[in-house]
Amino acid sequence: MSAEPGTVRPGGRTARVRAAVLRAAGDVLAEQGFDGLDLADLARRAEVGKTTVYRRWGSVTGLVADLLADMAEQSLPREETGTVLGDLRANAALVQRTLADPRQGALFRAVIAAAACDERTAQALRRFYEVRVAEWAPCVEQGVTRGELPAGTDADAVVRAVSAPLYYQLLTTGVPPGAPDAERAARAAHAAAVAGAYVGQRSDQVRLAPQ
């Protein structure tokens, strides 16, 4: 079976072409939004052949999917401070710095807006967050092992609870979150987790009861 456009991870010259095109795509998303993306224009910006871009990614949505995959791969690894609260604070600080960055914040707003009306972009965005949540979930699992959190705590849900208010602030007010917002988000998620708010079935295991 042939690979989906934008999913191959070759090295050498092809890797340099990919990096140049993805960098150009990120710039355009941050500057103009999703509607500003055009494969021919991106080829010109990246100084690569138009045919190469069309053959490799096939469409704007294929390119955005690859951009999100690359962003997930390049994101900083989790920090382990020795306590759940310390780890959640580190996670919140990382999210806050990303959303407050002029380029990254604008890029995420553009992708989230596109995901609302394009299913392939929405799927790519979900995969991006799955990777990032999976990276940080062990911090919560280790906290359960150390006895800091109740047994059965849904690690993924706790990690999402840290970043959710930061994204909500950015999307509903247009104001990037600051360091105090990150601190508050981390402490709120930690307090809820300690109280057992995230004990129970994982969200991906919940099923509706038969009628």
Side-chain angles (χ1 to χ4, degrees), residues 9-189:
R9 299 289 186 269
R13 179 183 178 280
T14 306
R16 291 192 294 273
V17 167
R18 176 176 180 255
V21 174
L22 293 184
R23 184 167 54 251
D27 290 342
V28 171
L29 275 170
E31 296 165 5
Q32 305 174 27
F34 188 84
D35 291 340
L37 288 177
D38 176 80
L39 293 188
D41 177 61
L42 290 174
R44 179 186 59 77
R45 283 174 174 252
E47 299 182 344
V48 302
K50 181 170 65 175
T51 301
T52 298
V53 174
Y54 278 95
R55 182 174 63 246
R56 176 169 174 78
W57 286 282
S59 66
V60 165
T61 51
L63 179 57
V64 171
D66 195 27
L67 174 63
L68 287 167
D70 183 69
M71 290 169 59
E73 293 167 1
Q74 300 302 321
S75 293
L76 293 175
R78 68 178 178 273
E79 294 184 35
E80 296 187 2
T81 66
T83 68
V84 172
L85 178 57
D87 294 348
L88 296 183
R89 292 173 69 191
N91 176 249
L94 175 60
V95 174
Q96 181 271 320
R97 290 194 301 269
T98 299
L99 297 182
D101 181 84
R103 182 180 185 275
Q104 291 287 84
L107 193 159
F108 273 108
R109 284 197 298 270
V111 171
I112 291 170
C117 56
D118 181 83
E119 179 55 28
R120 186 173 182 188
T121 303
Q123 291 175 358
L125 189 62
R126 286 194 292 270
R127 285 195 296 269
F128 170 85
Y129 286 114
E130 286 170 0
V131 170
R132 297 311 300 153
V133 169
E135 171 68 22
W136 284 86
C139 293
V140 179
E141 294 165 354
Q142 291 164 10
V144 173
T145 300
R146 291 192 298 262
E148 296 179 66
L149 299 177
T153 295
D154 184 340
D156 290 3
V158 175
V159 174
R160 291 192 180 97
V162 172
S163 59
L166 304 178
Y167 278 96
Y168 186 79
Q169 175 176 323
L170 179 67
L171 294 175
T172 60
T173 70
V175 178
D181 301 308
E183 179 72 13
R184 182 167 52 248
R187 289 189 177 278

